[in-house]
Amino acid sequence: MLSKSLEKALNEQVSIEGHASFAYLAMASWCEQQGMNGAAKFFFAQSDEERTHMLKIFNYINSVKGHALAPAIKQPSLKFKGIVEMVKEALHNEEKVTASVYKLSEMAQNEKDYGTYNFMQFYVDEQREEEVLFNHILERIELIGTEGMGRYYIDKELEALTGGGAPAAE
Ligand code: OFO
């Protein structure tokens, strides 16, 4: 049985994952506007992944007799100064998601709700992977540079990192 406080916190996490999905959608669109279709593909896939994260929590809440609530999603950033600033924002967003995942995990542990605690460990692992990924991307971008052919190689780099998901519209 899910406590009311955990139900509320899980629903907040549904909203956070939904916002992450929309934030990546906006980033994918911005990349397409810049002609960076490889990078757009990467961010579309990230957006899809965040939607699956959202749904996984949504389904969990109902499976343990809580009430999963479809969230109101705040519009994310739509424009970026450049690819470096955009990736930095993505990393910053992921760090905020990590903080809320840790908080939820800690709440579940304090309430001795080990089912929810175990469920949250998927997200703990996922956030570690995401932070590693975005730090890696930032390092690669710094190495490549954004001058001259830089943006072209960054675009290829991000496309190569795309792990499935919806491709950018042709
Ligand atoms: Fe699901 O928030 Fe990142 O990965």
Side-chain angles (χ1 to χ4, degrees), residues 17 20 24 46 49-50 53 94 97 123 126-127 130:
E17 302 288 343
Y24 285 133
Q46 286 292 123
E49 195 184 341
E50 297 298 352
H53 292 171
E94 289 293 351
V97 176
Y123 290 87
E126 187 64 29
Q127 286 311 120
E130 292 293 279

